[in-house]
């Protein structure tokens, strides 16, 4: 490796670690997200996700493709009972404990806000706390505006409930991503994760299933990459200079309220072509000029990707200055990970976030032809979409009260 990232947080660990999680999916969104995460995980060959999903809808559970049957828990609705009365959290946890859960670093409750199944989250979180001493996080999805004020209002309440109960909420905004997916130029970026690792075909994006599949791919590739930040010393993976291990990722999120994850990826120029081009040029010009030009390009590629991750590809758009902590991970072939670019990004983050803690690391993947930058922003103080959801909720509640007083239902 031609770089030495020793000036950045130096971590000396005897063994590099993955973040191992238990992902629990609730309802349609949660179950599909966990199923997608599980598929990515099993494809990677180095599993670090245990998954279980819970729903009152048997068709939804049947439609999943990756999770084994025993990881799909069906609780039939009896009469007009609400999901939180039907889902037996103790039963869920005893099913979970049948598998080997040693080495789990965190529990991740995945759920769509505004749906019914999120109401089962408090009991489930309570049981998770009894069974695990590890942090419990939520990966929550905000609904699209076109789903209506009633769903937005419930989503606002659901988010506040989760914030109170878990150690950190990773938020993903369907509205933002759905709008972005409608722009044809964005689909390339959405599909990219170290795409040669986890590329998957998205079916019929115009149908709800297809749109959700694409949104879920987008979520799963961010989470999968973060879980693997410390995956090193494996076949085909070179050693990183600065490792972000499980603890670093978890520390960025734990106790930090709402978090956003940004991810931007780019295909690297064809190595063969570059080599051919160089060998022809080198004969006519000084190698040092070529080299410094090459270094400059590598550095600006890292910086441009980091900017794109923060300004265009956040799971929920927010202001960098409102973040308490940040984590940056540069992933790709070590020859493309520029120390200069990496340090520039870290300085930029240091100067821009409201808080003081910026963690940074590199994740060299020798056989990839892509370079990706992933950013976590945590402890976010103001998020325009969350403010909007709460405004819609307050307006909707007032309208409901008015309608009630007038004897009208909204
Ligand atoms: N990203 C993503 N969002 C989804 C998906 N399915 C649903 N959603 C969103 O999540 C919200 C809650 O939907 P579900 O999870 O299906 O709701 P539920 O908890 O199963 O409850 P019901 O509405 O009774 O089916 C919806 O309003 C959508 O905005 C999905 O697969 N991916
Ligand atoms: Mg449902």
């Amino acid at each position: 490796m031609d770089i030495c990232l020793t000036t950045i947080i130096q971590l000396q660990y005897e063994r590099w670690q993955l973040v191992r999680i238990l992902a629990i999916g609730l309802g349609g969104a949660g179950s599909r997200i966990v199923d997608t995460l599980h598929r990515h995980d099993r494809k990677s060959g180095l599993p670090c996700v245990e998954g279980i999903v819970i729903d009152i809808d048997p068709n939804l559970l049947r439609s999943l493709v990756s999770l084994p049957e025993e990881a799909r828990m069906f609780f039939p609705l009896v009469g007009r009972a609400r999901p939180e009365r039907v889902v037996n959290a103790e039963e869920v946890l005893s099913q979970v404990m049948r598998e080997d859960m040693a080495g789990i670093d965190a529990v991740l409750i995945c759920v769509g806000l505004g749906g019914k199944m999120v109401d089962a989250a408090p009991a489930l979180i309570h049981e998770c706390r009894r069974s695990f001493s590890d942090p419990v996080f939520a990966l929550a999805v905000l609904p699209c505006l076109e789903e209506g004020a009633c769903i937005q209002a419930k989503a606002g309440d659901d988010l506040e409930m989760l914030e109170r109960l878990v150690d950190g909420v990773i938020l993903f905004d369907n509205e933002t991503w759905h709008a972005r997916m409608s722009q044809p130029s964005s689909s390339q970026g959405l599909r990219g994760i170290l795409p040669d690792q986890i590329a998957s075909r998205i079916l019929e994006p115009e149908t709800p299933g297809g749109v959700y599949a694409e949104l879920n791919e987008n979520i799963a590739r961010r989470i999968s990459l973060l879980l693997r930040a410390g995956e090193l010393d494996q076949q085909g993976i070179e050693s990183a200079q600065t490792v972000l291990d499980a603890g670093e990722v978890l520390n960025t999120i734990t106790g930090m309220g709402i978090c956003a994850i940004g991810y931007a990826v780019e295909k690297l120029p064809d190595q063969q072509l570059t080599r051919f081009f160089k060998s022809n040029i080198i004969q006519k010009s000084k190698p040092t000029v070529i080299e410094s030009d090459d270094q400059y390009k590598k550095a600006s590629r890292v910086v441009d990707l980091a900017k794109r991750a923060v300004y265009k590809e956040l799971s929920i758009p927010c202001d960098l200055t409102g973040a308490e902590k940040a984590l940056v991970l540069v992933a790709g072939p070590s020859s493309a990970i520029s120390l200069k670019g990496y340090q520039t990004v870290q300085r930029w983050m240091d100067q821009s976030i409201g808080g003081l803690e910026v963690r940074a690391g590199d994740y060299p993947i020798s056989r990839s032809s892509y370079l990706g930058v992933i950013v976590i922003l945590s402890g976010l103080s103001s998020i325009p979409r969350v403010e909007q959801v709460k405004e819609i909720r307050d307006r909707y509640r007032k309208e409901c009260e008015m309608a009630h007083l007038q004897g009208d239902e909204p």
Side-chain angles (χ1 to χ4, degrees), residues 131-149:
S131 306
F132 295 95
S133 55
D134 309 293
V136 178
F137 302 121
L139 193 162
V141 174
L142 275 179
C144 288
L145 283 171
E146 67 183 20
E147 293 181 67

Side-chain angles (χ1 to χ4, degrees), residues 65-105:
V65 295
S66 180
L67 287 161
E69 283 300 318
E70 62 278 11
R72 308 176 192 191
M73 293 192 78
F74 169 58
F75 289 95
L77 257 193
V78 185
R80 291 166 64 90
R82 296 205 302 263
E84 72 268 29
R85 301 234 171 248
V86 172
V87 173
N88 184 333
E90 279 179 35
E91 199 182 319
V92 174
L93 265 292
S94 61
Q95 172 68 22
V96 165
M97 292 315 205
R98 271 182 213 144
E99 301 297 321
D100 178 17
M101 288 293 144
I104 288 291
D105 297 303

Side-chain angles (χ1 to χ4, degrees), residues 26-33 36 54-57 60 83 111-119 141-144 147 151-152 154 172-175 208-209 211-216 219:
L26 273 173
S31 300
R32 280 188 283 260
I33 290 169
T36 313
I54 301 148
D55 207 347
I56 52 175
D57 176 356
L60 182 284
V111 72
L113 304 177
K116 290 199 192 80
M117 291 298 289
V118 65
D119 296 346
V141 174
L142 275 179
C144 288
E147 293 181 67
I151 302 260
Q152 304 289 314
K154 184 168 186 305
F172 187 94
D173 184 31
N174 275 359
E175 173 65 26
V211 169
Y212 284 148
E214 185 148 356
L215 289 170
N216 298 344
I219 296 171

